[in-house]
Amino acid sequence: MALALKFLVITIAILALTSSPSTASDPSPLQDFCVAVNDSKATVFVNGKVCKDPKLVTADDFFRPGLNKPGNTSNQLGSIVTAVNVNNLPGLNTLGISLARIDFARRGLNPPHTHPRGTEGLIHFQLNVGKTNAIAFTGLSSQNAGVITIANAVFGSDPPINDNVLSKAFQVDKKVIDDLQEEFWWDNN
Amino acid sequence: MALALKFLVITIAILALTSSPSTASDPSPLQDFCVAVNDSKATVFVNGKVCKDPKLVTADDFFRPGLNKPGNTSNQLGSIVTAVNVNNLPGLNTLGISLARIDFARRGLNPPHTHPRGTEGLIHFQLNVGKTNAIAFTGLSSQNAGVITIANAVFGSDPPINDNVLSKAFQVDKKVIDDLQEEFWWDNN
Amino acid sequence: MALALKFLVITIAILALTSSPSTASDPSPLQDFCVAVNDSKATVFVNGKVCKDPKLVTADDFFRPGLNKPGNTSNQLGSIVTAVNVNNLPGLNTLGISLARIDFARRGLNPPHTHPRGTEGLIHFQLNVGKTNAIAFTGLSSQNAGVITIANAVFGSDPPINDNVLSKAFQVDKKVIDDLQEEFWWDNN
Amino acid sequence: MALALKFLVITIAILALTSSPSTASDPSPLQDFCVAVNDSKATVFVNGKVCKDPKLVTADDFFRPGLNKPGNTSNQLGSIVTAVNVNNLPGLNTLGISLARIDFARRGLNPPHTHPRGTEGLIHFQLNVGKTNAIAFTGLSSQNAGVITIANAVFGSDPPINDNVLSKAFQVDKKVIDDLQEEFWWDNN
Amino acid sequence: MALALKFLVITIAILALTSSPSTASDPSPLQDFCVAVNDSKATVFVNGKVCKDPKLVTADDFFRPGLNKPGNTSNQLGSIVTAVNVNNLPGLNTLGISLARIDFARRGLNPPHTHPRGTEGLIHFQLNVGKTNAIAFTGLSSQNAGVITIANAVFGSDPPINDNVLSKAFQVDKKVIDDLQEEFWWDNN
Amino acid sequence: MALALKFLVITIAILALTSSPSTASDPSPLQDFCVAVNDSKATVFVNGKVCKDPKLVTADDFFRPGLNKPGNTSNQLGSIVTAVNVNNLPGLNTLGISLARIDFARRGLNPPHTHPRGTEGLIHFQLNVGKTNAIAFTGLSSQNAGVITIANAVFGSDPPINDNVLSKAFQVDKKVIDDLQEEFWWDNN
């Protein structure tokens, strides 16, 4: 655990050089709890989630096991994010907060990204600069902060962004853009 | 780490039987960052904190070391809370989020409390039901969620609450109230 | 009326010694009105309340009689709260405000409590220090501010909180806790 | 008191025919209290009010006497509003709520108005339809809800609105507008 | 285009003499998009709008043609407002913003009005003081800011406001009020 | 003007394929107006801006000329953004809204960007697909929505992001990253 914290300290310092955080606040709750109905079972959709009938709520709705299991970092980034938010912990609905565990292999990278509805809304990344694996736990100020991985959103969107646009925006030859768009854009989220 | 997480899982289940969470959301930020000026150096006070001149902000304002050090749990509760909020991490100002590390001895208790401006606004507690020490990391949806330890607020306030009031509220003899008010109310926060 | 106001003035002064107020703000409305459907008739649940079809709204939805009738204070606290909120005045839905009438017998007490979603989120109480009955009218900054009576939440919860927890939190013998948990916890709300 | 309440009931029913309420919510507080510094003593101005140094706050900052005194209704409207808000009760700062006492003579009118930052943001009025004097107590969901008396804002503004504008807006001869603009626009707020 | 902008500049200066702006902020979104279901097709009503099933959302839901067409200003005010808000552009739902095009004939007037949930919540108006037609584009800080045209709300409401009330509020003879109430109150919104 | 609108229609359709909008809402105002003091003259900094003494406010504080002048699009992107926000129109402070004029040459591009505190928080861009110059007017739901141009933030930050990080994130050779980082990153905002 000490290592994970040391890691956090170092990468936050790096982050501060390249960006600064921003946030958005979820609407406040209007009752003691409002356990989310899973979207696949919902017949009505609202801003956020509709709630389970309060009479049917159980302790399990506030419970999510498994965060003690390391994620699999055997991928091109050497990192994996395990998010706990309203989509998999229904009791978080209307509470305005969520969290994530991030596992890093040595030199593992959580690549440049933003959270459109959460803390650190500017572009930021985390890099494991230590000599071993590392773990980070992060809190986010929304029940569903979202994540936009910059490289994937720009070069891996489906349908693709017109390569003339990207060529002009990044000031590189269209051939470079076309190559980038043909990569396999794996997402660690 | 696994233990801490197992611990978390168990105490959250207990919590769900006795209370349910509530929250309040901080106002949204209006600029990329607003590093807090420490209250002891402030000449003007506002809702939240006044900000350091942006031109004088450094990476250190977003940095707080020491969360890797275990807290001292040698006290009557067997637990200690180490909070990271706008009061000791000035870069959190206007970001609507904070966190805490809680260390628990065996059978350690973080006693019944509420957070007037944060997640879990109803009365809740955490008990280490495992066979070893434990650590928990918690996120709170305010830069300064506050904490009200119930027993301390009711019986340890200064000046004290009139004992007739407490005798009637708790339906016990004034002698019991007087004894409670003479205890040493140590606070693990 | 003069008496009720004198009473208010005195108890607010007492309150200021033991606590200070806090609040949370409801989300803003997005239309002129959104009359709540009673939960017992709702087929869908959301943060707050679903609304009646606007075409079926009538003046009665904004009307609640009976606040002129004194409440019955013949109970162990000598007080009774009559709340007007979104649960019994459906037109309040999305308006972020509610109110209550509190009747006090001589020496009547509205015991220590908090409002998880309303003004005065810290622990507070009101005591009739006058020589006659008294009435207070209070406003709350949420359509459903909630109330947690401290003594009842701690000692009267169902299922009960483990007596080891309460014994350690209140620093009294388990026997005292067990006695407290066996009381009849009447709630004036 | 019964009379005041009966009055309230009747006028709310009338109100529902001509308008429906709306509201805005103040930003949430970020500390337990933030007692306002009076504008006349402030050297810095912010959204809301700057706060008194917390170390200098006293119980008196949360205290406002005098609401038990009837207001003087000897005016052309037969009503008078006594407002309690952040401007005269500094402890209300950041709490998102305020209140008013309204005294009515027989047939007294609180004329059509709106509150730009409070409950009942649509145009509304209160008329004493009872056979005696009446009192109303109202809550508003902002520390400084504001009030715009329609007739005064339109015909009594200083400098005046161009009479061509008002003649076209109200579809009456400019002579009627000029007469209206020469009236003495007394405000009961 | 230059003319429209010159127009804007001049009328904003006039506005500043008679009122000052205020606003309310919509609740923040909790997902990337929440396309509104038209009220006429909705079976459930909420604060704002229920959302279309995300799987059925298309690009057309974010598209509204026709704002390039001039509105018909051949009416007694010489102006017409074309609003684009959540009611006719469903993709705006939960985004907290809307807009309007206003066409003005020479001397055209957008008469005194307020927006109960949007920017410029005080009473304001726009007058074309130029020598030609004019166009204005306005942004509003709510998906459904609403508009209350003062003259229509006061004298054209259905059912009508009691003429005794208006006679006292506007300090004119009941005969003047009765005449005003019999006018045809055309609304340019 | 018609052309600008046609342009808007087309690019919004393109945008909908690659992203969807999000937003954050500014805190609500607590008084009728709060004219911002320019940061260069401020002695105290807060979330947002401190306000001018209300007694010194003039109509000019709500006035900003010049939006009728075309911007200079003779740059590598063929576009230029002229923003009107709290930084150059002090009367916008606390109003939660701002606007921008965007001029486009033929094939002009406003490159991929996000607004950390405004509408359209996901990555989006605007391209002039018409056969002539074009103008767009946009509204943003914050007084200071901010803008992060993706290419500039990633490749043009000062100090630069470590090229190992970018090489891994974009899955290209470090040589490509180094070339990108040596470009002149002109910003049209």
Side-chain angles (χ1 to χ4, degrees):
Chain A
M1 196 59 223
L3 188 101
L5 287 165
K6 185 178 170 195
F7 162 72
L8 267 177
V9 157
I10 293 167
T11 54
I12 286 174
I14 291 175
L15 166 67
L17 298 174
T18 58
S19 78
S20 45
S22 177
T23 192
S25 56
D26 285 9
S28 292
L30 293 164
Q31 62 291 307
D32 288 353
F33 55 84
C34 167
V35 172
V37 171
N38 191 292
D39 279 356
S40 69
K41 297 182 184 170
T43 53
V44 173
F45 300 88
V46 295
N47 187 23
K49 305 276 185 185
V50 295
C51 323
K52 209 172 158 173
D53 183 335
K55 292 187 294 293
L56 305 179
V57 167
T58 68
D60 277 354
D61 292 318
F62 297 89
F63 177 88
R64 187 180 178 283
L67 214 59
N68 56 330
K69 294 186 193 156
N72 181 358
T73 60
S74 301
N75 58 56
Q76 61 206 43
L77 293 168
S79 77
I80 190 81
V81 176
T82 308
V84 178
N85 57 36
V86 73
N87 296 309
N88 53 25
L89 179 53
L92 277 181
N93 197 32
T94 75
L95 295 190
I97 199 161
S98 57
L99 68 93
R101 170 189 173 132
I102 317 177
D103 286 274
F104 297 87
R106 271 203 72 192
R107 316 301 299 162
L109 174 70
N110 189 17
H113 61 281
T114 64
H115 302 287
R117 288 173 301 281
T119 297
E120 303 181 311
L122 302 204
I123 296 172
H124 59 285
F125 63 90
Q126 291 104 3
L127 175 70
N128 182 3
V129 298
K131 298 190 175 184
T132 65
N133 292 348
I135 305 174
F137 286 90
T138 64
L140 295 151
S141 60
S142 170
Q143 67 177 28
N144 183 23
V147 62
I148 304 169
T149 305
I150 301 298
N152 299 18
V154 172
F155 297 112
S157 73
D158 177 20
I161 300 177
N162 183 292
D163 57 3
N164 283 310
V165 166
L166 295 178
S167 171
K168 185 174 277 192
F170 286 86
Q171 305 184 39
V172 290
D173 202 85
K174 272 175 64 170
K175 181 67 180 61
V176 177
I177 298 297
D178 294 344
D179 287 351
L180 280 161
Q181 290 186 323
E182 277 163 27
E183 285 182 25
F184 170 67
W185 288 99
W186 185 83
D187 203 322
N188 71 336
N189 280 281
Chain B
M1 199 57 223
L3 188 102
L5 288 164
K6 186 178 170 195
F7 162 72
L8 267 176
V9 157
I10 292 167
T11 55
I12 287 174
I14 290 176
L15 166 67
L17 298 174
T18 58
S19 77
S20 46
S22 179
T23 192
S25 56
D26 287 8
S28 292
L30 293 164
Q31 62 291 306
D32 287 352
F33 55 84
C34 166
V35 171
V37 171
N38 192 291
D39 278 355
S40 69
K41 297 184 183 168
T43 54
V44 173
F45 299 87
V46 295
N47 188 23
K49 306 275 184 186
V50 295
C51 323
K52 210 172 159 173
D53 184 334
K55 291 187 295 294
L56 306 179
V57 167
T58 69
D60 277 353
D61 292 318
F62 297 89
F63 177 86
R64 188 182 177 281
L67 213 59
N68 56 331
K69 293 185 193 155
N72 181 357
T73 60
S74 301
N75 58 55
Q76 61 206 41
L77 293 168
S79 77
I80 190 79
V81 176
T82 307
V84 179
N85 57 36
V86 73
N87 296 308
N88 53 24
L89 179 54
L92 277 180
N93 196 32
T94 75
L95 295 190
I97 200 161
S98 57
L99 67 94
R101 171 189 173 132
I102 317 177
D103 286 275
F104 298 87
R106 269 203 73 193
R107 316 303 297 165
L109 174 70
N110 189 18
H113 60 280
T114 64
H115 302 288
R117 289 174 300 281
T119 296
E120 302 180 313
L122 301 204
I123 297 173
H124 58 285
F125 63 92
Q126 292 105 2
L127 175 70
N128 182 3
V129 299
K131 299 192 173 179
T132 66
N133 294 348
I135 305 172
F137 286 91
T138 64
L140 294 151
S141 59
S142 169
Q143 68 178 29
N144 182 24
V147 62
I148 304 168
T149 305
I150 300 298
N152 298 19
V154 172
F155 297 112
S157 73
D158 178 20
I161 300 177
N162 184 291
D163 56 2
N164 283 310
V165 166
L166 295 178
S167 171
K168 185 173 277 194
F170 285 87
Q171 306 185 38
V172 290
D173 201 85
K174 272 175 64 171
K175 182 67 182 58
V176 177
I177 298 297
D178 294 345
D179 288 351
L180 280 161
Q181 290 187 322
E182 276 162 28
E183 286 183 24
F184 170 68
W185 287 99
W186 185 84
D187 204 322
N188 70 336
N189 278 281
Chain C
M1 197 59 223
L3 188 100
L5 288 165
K6 186 179 171 194
F7 162 72
L8 267 177
V9 157
I10 293 167
T11 55
I12 287 174
I14 290 176
L15 166 68
L17 298 174
T18 58
S19 78
S20 45
S22 178
T23 192
S25 56
D26 286 9
S28 292
L30 293 164
Q31 62 291 308
D32 287 352
F33 55 84
C34 166
V35 172
V37 171
N38 191 291
D39 278 356
S40 69
K41 297 183 184 167
T43 53
V44 173
F45 299 87
V46 295
N47 187 22
K49 305 277 184 187
V50 295
C51 324
K52 207 173 161 175
D53 183 336
K55 292 187 294 294
L56 305 180
V57 167
T58 69
D60 277 352
D61 292 318
F62 297 89
F63 177 87
R64 188 180 176 283
L67 213 58
N68 56 330
K69 293 184 194 158
N72 180 358
T73 61
S74 302
N75 58 56
Q76 59 205 43
L77 293 168
S79 77
I80 190 79
V81 176
T82 307
V84 178
N85 57 35
V86 72
N87 296 307
N88 54 25
L89 179 54
L92 277 180
N93 197 32
T94 75
L95 295 191
I97 201 162
S98 58
L99 68 93
R101 170 189 174 133
I102 317 177
D103 286 275
F104 298 86
R106 269 204 73 192
R107 316 301 297 163
L109 174 71
N110 189 17
H113 61 281
T114 65
H115 302 288
R117 289 174 301 279
T119 297
E120 302 182 312
L122 301 204
I123 298 173
H124 59 285
F125 63 92
Q126 292 105 4
L127 176 69
N128 182 2
V129 298
K131 299 192 171 174
T132 65
N133 293 349
I135 305 173
F137 286 90
T138 65
L140 294 151
S141 59
S142 169
Q143 69 178 29
N144 181 24
V147 63
I148 304 168
T149 305
I150 301 299
N152 298 19
V154 172
F155 298 112
S157 73
D158 178 18
I161 299 177
N162 183 291
D163 58 2
N164 284 308
V165 166
L166 294 179
S167 172
K168 185 173 277 193
F170 285 87
Q171 305 185 38
V172 291
D173 201 84
K174 272 176 64 170
K175 182 65 181 63
V176 177
I177 298 297
D178 294 344
D179 288 351
L180 280 161
Q181 291 187 322
E182 276 163 27
E183 286 181 25
F184 170 68
W185 288 99
W186 186 83
D187 204 324
N188 70 336
N189 278 280
Chain D
M1 197 59 222
L3 188 100
L5 288 165
K6 185 178 171 196
F7 162 71
L8 267 176
V9 157
I10 293 167
T11 54
I12 287 175
I14 290 176
L15 166 66
L17 298 174
T18 57
S19 78
S20 45
S22 178
T23 191
S25 56
D26 285 9
S28 292
L30 292 164
Q31 62 291 306
D32 288 352
F33 55 84
C34 167
V35 172
V37 171
N38 191 293
D39 278 356
S40 69
K41 298 183 183 169
T43 53
V44 173
F45 299 88
V46 295
N47 187 23
K49 305 276 185 185
V50 295
C51 324
K52 209 172 159 174
D53 184 335
K55 292 187 295 294
L56 306 180
V57 167
T58 69
D60 277 354
D61 292 319
F62 297 89
F63 177 88
R64 188 180 178 283
L67 213 58
N68 55 331
K69 294 185 194 156
N72 180 358
T73 61
S74 301
N75 58 56
Q76 61 206 45
L77 293 168
S79 77
I80 191 81
V81 176
T82 307
V84 179
N85 58 34
V86 73
N87 296 309
N88 53 25
L89 180 53
L92 277 181
N93 197 30
T94 75
L95 295 190
I97 200 161
S98 57
L99 68 92
R101 171 189 172 132
I102 317 177
D103 286 274
F104 297 86
R106 270 203 74 191
R107 315 303 297 165
L109 174 70
N110 189 18
H113 61 281
T114 64
H115 302 288
R117 288 173 301 280
T119 296
E120 301 181 314
L122 303 204
I123 297 172
H124 60 284
F125 63 91
Q126 291 105 2
L127 175 70
N128 182 2
V129 298
K131 299 191 174 184
T132 66
N133 293 348
I135 305 174
F137 286 90
T138 64
L140 295 151
S141 60
S142 170
Q143 67 178 28
N144 182 23
V147 63
I148 304 168
T149 304
I150 300 299
N152 299 18
V154 172
F155 297 112
S157 73
D158 177 20
I161 300 176
N162 182 291
D163 57 1
N164 283 310
V165 166
L166 295 179
S167 170
K168 186 173 279 195
F170 286 87
Q171 306 184 38
V172 290
D173 202 84
K174 273 175 65 171
K175 181 67 180 60
V176 177
I177 298 297
D178 294 345
D179 287 350
L180 280 161
Q181 290 186 322
E182 276 162 28
E183 285 183 26
F184 170 67
W185 288 99
W186 186 83
D187 204 322
N188 70 335
N189 279 280
Chain E
M1 197 60 225
L3 188 99
L5 288 165
K6 185 178 172 196
F7 162 71
L8 267 176
V9 157
I10 293 167
T11 55
I12 287 175
I14 290 176
L15 167 66
L17 298 174
T18 57
S19 78
S20 46
S22 177
T23 191
S25 56
D26 285 9
S28 292
L30 293 164
Q31 62 291 307
D32 287 352
F33 55 84
C34 166
V35 172
V37 171
N38 191 292
D39 278 356
S40 69
K41 297 183 183 170
T43 54
V44 173
F45 300 87
V46 296
N47 187 23
K49 305 276 184 186
V50 295
C51 324
K52 208 172 161 175
D53 184 335
K55 292 187 295 293
L56 305 180
V57 166
T58 68
D60 277 353
D61 292 317
F62 298 89
F63 177 88
R64 188 180 178 284
L67 213 58
N68 56 330
K69 293 184 193 156
N72 181 357
T73 59
S74 302
N75 57 57
Q76 60 206 45
L77 294 168
S79 77
I80 191 81
V81 176
T82 307
V84 178
N85 57 36
V86 72
N87 296 308
N88 54 24
L89 179 53
L92 277 180
N93 196 31
T94 76
L95 296 189
I97 201 162
S98 57
L99 67 93
R101 170 188 173 134
I102 317 177
D103 286 273
F104 297 86
R106 268 203 76 191
R107 316 301 299 163
L109 173 70
N110 189 17
H113 60 281
T114 65
H115 303 287
R117 289 174 301 280
T119 297
E120 301 181 312
L122 302 203
I123 298 171
H124 58 285
F125 63 91
Q126 291 105 2
L127 175 70
N128 182 2
V129 298
K131 298 191 175 182
T132 65
N133 292 348
I135 305 173
F137 286 90
T138 65
L140 294 150
S141 59
S142 170
Q143 68 178 30
N144 182 23
V147 63
I148 304 169
T149 305
I150 300 299
N152 299 19
V154 171
F155 297 113
S157 73
D158 177 19
I161 300 176
N162 182 291
D163 57 1
N164 283 309
V165 166
L166 295 178
S167 171
K168 186 174 278 194
F170 286 87
Q171 305 184 40
V172 290
D173 202 83
K174 273 174 64 170
K175 181 68 179 60
V176 177
I177 299 296
D178 294 345
D179 288 351
L180 280 162
Q181 291 186 321
E182 276 163 27
E183 285 181 23
F184 170 67
W185 288 99
W186 186 84
D187 204 322
N188 71 334
N189 278 280
Chain F
M1 197 59 223
L3 188 99
L5 288 165
K6 186 178 172 196
F7 162 71
L8 267 177
V9 158
I10 292 167
T11 55
I12 287 176
I14 290 176
L15 166 67
L17 297 175
T18 58
S19 79
S20 45
S22 178
T23 192
S25 56
D26 286 8
S28 292
L30 293 163
Q31 61 291 307
D32 287 353
F33 55 83
C34 167
V35 172
V37 172
N38 191 293
D39 278 355
S40 69
K41 297 184 184 168
T43 54
V44 173
F45 299 88
V46 296
N47 188 24
K49 305 275 185 188
V50 294
C51 323
K52 208 172 161 174
D53 184 336
K55 292 186 295 291
L56 305 180
V57 167
T58 68
D60 277 353
D61 293 317
F62 297 90
F63 177 88
R64 188 181 177 284
L67 213 59
N68 57 330
K69 292 183 194 158
N72 180 358
T73 60
S74 302
N75 57 57
Q76 61 205 43
L77 293 168
S79 77
I80 190 80
V81 176
T82 307
V84 178
N85 57 35
V86 73
N87 296 307
N88 53 25
L89 179 53
L92 277 181
N93 197 31
T94 75
L95 295 190
I97 201 162
S98 57
L99 68 92
R101 171 189 172 133
I102 317 176
D103 286 274
F104 298 86
R106 268 203 75 192
R107 316 301 298 163
L109 174 69
N110 189 17
H113 61 281
T114 65
H115 302 288
R117 289 173 301 280
T119 296
E120 300 182 314
L122 301 203
I123 297 172
H124 58 285
F125 63 91
Q126 291 105 2
L127 175 70
N128 182 3
V129 298
K131 299 193 171 172
T132 66
N133 293 349
I135 305 173
F137 286 91
T138 65
L140 294 150
S141 59
S142 170
Q143 67 178 30
N144 182 24
V147 63
I148 304 169
T149 304
I150 300 300
N152 298 19
V154 171
F155 297 111
S157 73
D158 178 20
I161 300 177
N162 183 291
D163 58 1
N164 284 308
V165 166
L166 295 178
S167 170
K168 186 174 278 193
F170 285 87
Q171 305 185 39
V172 290
D173 202 85
K174 272 175 64 171
K175 182 66 181 61
V176 177
I177 298 297
D178 294 344
D179 288 352
L180 280 161
Q181 290 186 321
E182 277 163 28
E183 285 181 24
F184 170 67
W185 288 99
W186 186 83
D187 204 322
N188 70 335
N189 278 281

